[in-house]
Amino acid sequence: MSLKEKVYQRLPFLLQNLAISSFNTLQYKTRHGGEYWKWRQYYESVEKLPKEKLRKMQQDRLESFLAYASIQSSWYRKYRNLSLSQYPILEKDDILNNLDSIATISEKNAQVSLTGGTTGASMKVLYTKENMQERHALLDHFRAQYGYHLGDRCAWFSGKNIINDKDITKGICYRDDYINKIRFFSTFHITDNSFEVYWSALNDFSPEYLVGFPSSVYEICAMAQSRGLKLHNSVKAFFPTAETLLPIHREVISSVLGCKIADQYASSEGAPFILECKYGGLHIHPLTGIFEVMNEEMQPAQEGEIVVTSFTTEGTPLIRYRIGDHIKLSSESKQCSCKSSFPLVDRIEGRSTDYILSPTHGKVNLGNISNSTKDVKGIIQFQVIQNSIDYVLVLVVSNNQFTKDEQIKFRSALKERFGNQLNIEIKIVNEIPKESSGKFRFVKNLIT
């Protein structure tokens, strides 16, 4: 725990809220200052451009970005005047071990971002102020299409370590930013026993929007659904962050909150953006960077692992960075109802390690596993853990609707996906631990 965190923990409740309000306000001033409005206008102006114009603008940004990196970064100096395909793949270990030579700025002059470390070591990247302002300009432009503006009442579920166990016993699961009308909920303390604390705090706050981990919002909504509850006020939209949005998340959250769900893909490292339009299309924003989709042999493919080049990472240039996520591209002929020329993605599949390895079915991905709860009553949350090629442990948080018959139905659905040679043990538990980042890992493959 840092000195700042130690001081925060010792403050009384009211002063903690004031500290959060002040810190957030300073952050927003930095993010919304400088070149922010220039980039807001830029992203508004390119929404309806034709494909040919977008390709030319993307190529211009790419050439400018590669030239900048080859001059400012000692790591990239040797690749000067090469085309993108001639650059080597940048691995996570490269950044962990060589940040000083990759980065173009010092930490004291940077906006520092730390990744969550869900699947390994946490990683530090450095942003320039303008890059941070550009990224927030695009996010704000995206959310504004669903009606959101800074200052609207917003409930936020992320990995901030803001409360302790004693707070829950006092009926408190959040801290408030009074100035910007944000209520930050802890994602570390959501259990069936604490549900009433969270549900009461959510209803009392009456948010217009929700932002954060879909697994956390889903968990609360699943508990509410099992109790026949719906939120008192009308939520306009939920913006998932930091985790893969699964079909079961979308189904339950939209049912309980009655709101639109606007998915997005980016990353703490600074990946380019994929954004969901109001018609449900997942669009790659071509002016934020380039996605290369690779198969297992690291050859171009329609579906597979992504290698990203991000134009908004001048502080720590990401050029052909192997980020560890999977997507499936749509066919080039597919047209979204929104009429945008931005490329389409069929689905975002999450981390490359988010699968179970079956002796008979091969790799069973996250989306396929999550669908095993369809038509099964009583499951609040589950996690699949694989330690060996022939055995998986399935932890289940459930309510009294998860009867013997429902358990048989669930096991059958899993068996259908995993095959008969993979032994399945289902264990009912009171809660499933979150990662240190506050995120929830649906699948933990420990043999890859």
Side-chain angles (χ1 to χ4, degrees), residues 71-354:
I71 294 169
Q72 300 297 330
S73 167
S74 59
W75 177 270
Y76 287 113
R77 204 156 290 154
K78 56 183 172 290
Y79 305 119
R80 193 169 187 181
N81 297 323
L82 296 183
S83 64
L84 180 62
S85 62
Q86 294 174 296
Y87 278 73
I89 301 296
L90 182 69
E91 302 284 354
K92 182 174 183 176
D93 282 350
D94 292 329
I95 299 176
L96 284 168
N97 298 324
N98 303 282
L99 179 62
D100 288 345
S101 59
I102 295 173
T104 64
I105 54 177
S106 65
E107 189 168 331
K108 69 177 181 179
N109 295 320
Q111 303 290 301
V112 180
S113 176
L114 296 172
T115 67
T118 303
T119 58
S122 178
M123 188 173 70
K124 180 190 296 181
V125 293
L126 309 179
Y127 285 102
T128 66
K129 281 187 179 180
E130 182 170 351
N131 284 165
M132 185 64 77
Q133 288 158 1
E134 179 181 349
R135 292 182 71 83
H136 281 277
L138 175 56
L139 274 176
D140 290 346
H141 167 65
F142 162 63
R143 291 172 180 166
Q145 294 175 52
Y146 293 85
Y148 175 77
H149 298 92
L150 190 65
D152 291 339
R153 296 178 73 81
C154 186
W156 208 287
F157 291 81
S158 64
K160 293 180 172 64
N161 190 14
I162 52 173
I163 73 168
N164 55 48
D165 294 342
K166 291 181 180 178
D167 287 323
I168 291 292
T169 63
K170 296 175 184 176
I172 301 170
C173 59
Y174 62 88
R175 292 294 184 268
D176 282 329
D177 174 349
Y178 298 130
I179 298 172
N180 300 293
K181 298 181 185 175
I182 301 172
R183 175 161 287 185
F184 292 100
F185 286 83
S186 169
T187 57
F188 296 96
H189 297 83
I190 303 170
T191 66
D192 196 59
N193 290 334
S194 66
F195 168 75
E196 295 296 341
V197 175
Y198 277 87
W199 193 246
S200 176
L202 202 54
N203 267 305
D204 289 346
F205 184 63
S206 298
E208 296 176 82
Y209 297 91
L210 276 77
V211 178
F213 299 164
S215 66
S216 297
V217 177
Y218 162 78
E219 195 173 356
I220 292 170
C221 288
M223 293 177 193
Q225 189 179 61
S226 71
R227 292 163 167 83
L229 299 173
K230 292 198 175 182
L231 210 61
H232 295 338
N233 69 292
S234 176
V235 175
K236 296 178 182 177
F238 168 49
F239 302 109
T241 63
E243 295 177 336
T244 303
L245 179 72
L246 300 173
I248 187 65
H249 294 157
R250 190 183 288 274
E251 178 186 337
V252 172
I253 292 169
S254 60
S255 172
V256 172
L257 300 183
C259 65
K260 293 181 179 178
I261 297 178
D263 200 9
Q264 65 181 62
Y265 173 87
S267 71
S268 301
E269 297 102 304
F273 286 83
I274 299 173
L275 304 168
E276 181 176 351
C277 74
K278 289 189 286 185
Y279 291 87
L282 289 168
H283 296 270
I284 292 174
H285 202 301
L287 301 183
T288 63
I290 292 172
F291 288 88
E292 297 176 72
V293 183
M294 307 288 194
N295 61 20
E296 291 184 357
E297 287 74 43
M298 296 304 288
Q299 296 300 312
Q302 195 72 9
E303 178 178 3
E305 188 174 352
I306 50 175
V307 169
V308 301
T309 299
S310 177
F311 304 151
T312 58
T313 58
E314 291 174 326
T316 308
L318 299 185
I319 301 175
R320 306 198 79 203
Y321 172 53
R322 190 176 186 176
I323 199 167
D325 290 330
H326 274 66
I327 64 173
K328 181 180 181 183
L329 297 171
S330 303
S331 66
E332 285 195 25
S333 61
K334 186 174 181 180
Q335 178 75 42
C336 183
S337 299
C338 72
K339 306 300 182 185
S340 171
S341 298
F342 294 179
L344 283 162
V345 171
D346 275 353
R347 60 179 180 268
I348 301 166
E349 297 180 333
R351 306 296 299 179
S352 57
T353 54
D354 285 347

Side-chain angles (χ1 to χ4, degrees), residues 334-385:
K334 186 174 181 180
Q335 178 75 42
C336 183
S337 299
C338 72
K339 306 300 182 185
S340 171
S341 298
F342 294 179
L344 283 162
V345 171
D346 275 353
R347 60 179 180 268
I348 301 166
E349 297 180 333
R351 306 296 299 179
S352 57
T353 54
D354 285 347
Y355 65 84
I356 293 299
L357 192 58
S358 162
T360 53
H361 289 44
K363 291 181 179 179
V364 186
N365 67 36
L366 182 65
N368 200 352
I369 296 168
S370 71
N371 285 335
S372 60
T373 60
K374 281 189 174 180
D375 300 320
V376 178
K377 298 176 183 176
I379 294 179
I380 301 297
Q381 188 180 61
F382 77 99
Q383 181 181 71
V384 183
I385 304 169

Side-chain angles (χ1 to χ4, degrees), residues 410-423:
F410 182 47
R411 180 183 293 276
S412 176
L414 290 172
K415 184 68 74 175
E416 183 182 336
R417 287 157 175 78
F418 296 156
N420 292 321
Q421 293 183 27
L422 194 58
N423 295 313

